[in-house]
């Protein structure tokens, strides 16, 4: 299984421009937990349900992983899966497409939770 996961990560890395992101906090529980390590690809227009990475409007150097809940007119509304612990579009409004850093597609660590994200 570990070899298959490594090959999958390698294939995605080789075929698309990607980055790695480490999840901090509880805003995306139960889908993602603090410490999860994700592979993020630069993708086209997001769809509702995608896990997207956006800069935090309060601290632009900090990245947020959120779920796209609505896509409209060049903007995406993002929300955390754990609303009680999430700062998201309810606080800062929709995010323009051009600031999106990408879409989280694969969790590569911890090993027991590794796999493709839906």
């Amino acid at each position: 299984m570990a070899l298959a996961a490594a090959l999958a990560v390698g294939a995605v890395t080789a075929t698309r421009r990607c980055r790695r992101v480490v999840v901090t906090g509880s805003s995306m529980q139960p889908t993602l937990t603090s410490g999860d390590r994700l592979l993020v690809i630069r993708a086209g227009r997001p769809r509702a349900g995608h896990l997207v990475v956006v800069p935090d409007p309060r601290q632009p150097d900090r990245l947020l992983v959120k779920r796209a809940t609505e896509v409209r007119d060049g903007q995406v509304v993002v929300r955390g899966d754990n609303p009680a612990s999430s700062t998201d579009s309810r606080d800062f409004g929709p995010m323009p497409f051009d600031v999106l850093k990408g879409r989280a597609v694969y969790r590569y660590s911890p090993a027991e939770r590794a796999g493709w994200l839906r």
Side-chain angles (χ1 to χ4, degrees), residues 21-74:
V21 173
V22 178
V23 175
T24 58
S26 60
S27 72
M28 287 302 294
Q29 286 182 336
T31 307
L32 302 173
T33 60
S34 195
D36 283 356
R37 293 179 179 341
L38 311 176
L39 202 61
V40 176
I41 62 169
R42 186 76 178 149
R45 181 182 170 106
R47 294 185 194 156
H50 282 171
L51 296 177
V52 296
V53 177
V54 298
D56 185 335
R58 303 159 303 165
Q59 293 177 293
D61 291 342
R62 183 173 178 239
L63 297 177
L64 304 174
V65 180
K66 302 293 178 186
R67 188 170 305 279
T69 58
E70 189 178 338
V71 179
R72 59 174 187 228
D73 303 324

Side-chain angles (χ1 to χ4, degrees), residues 77-118:
V77 174
V78 297
R79 300 262 170 94
D81 287 356
N82 181 4
S85 295
S86 183
T87 300
D88 50 38
S89 287
R90 293 170 300 162
D91 302 297
F92 50 72
M95 302 292 292
F97 285 166
D98 63 348
V99 302
L100 293 179
K101 300 300 180 187
R103 181 166 53 101
V105 295
Y106 191 81
R107 178 182 16 238
Y108 63 90
S109 180
E112 63 274 6
R113 291 175 40 88
W116 296 102
L117 299 169
R118 297 183 192 164

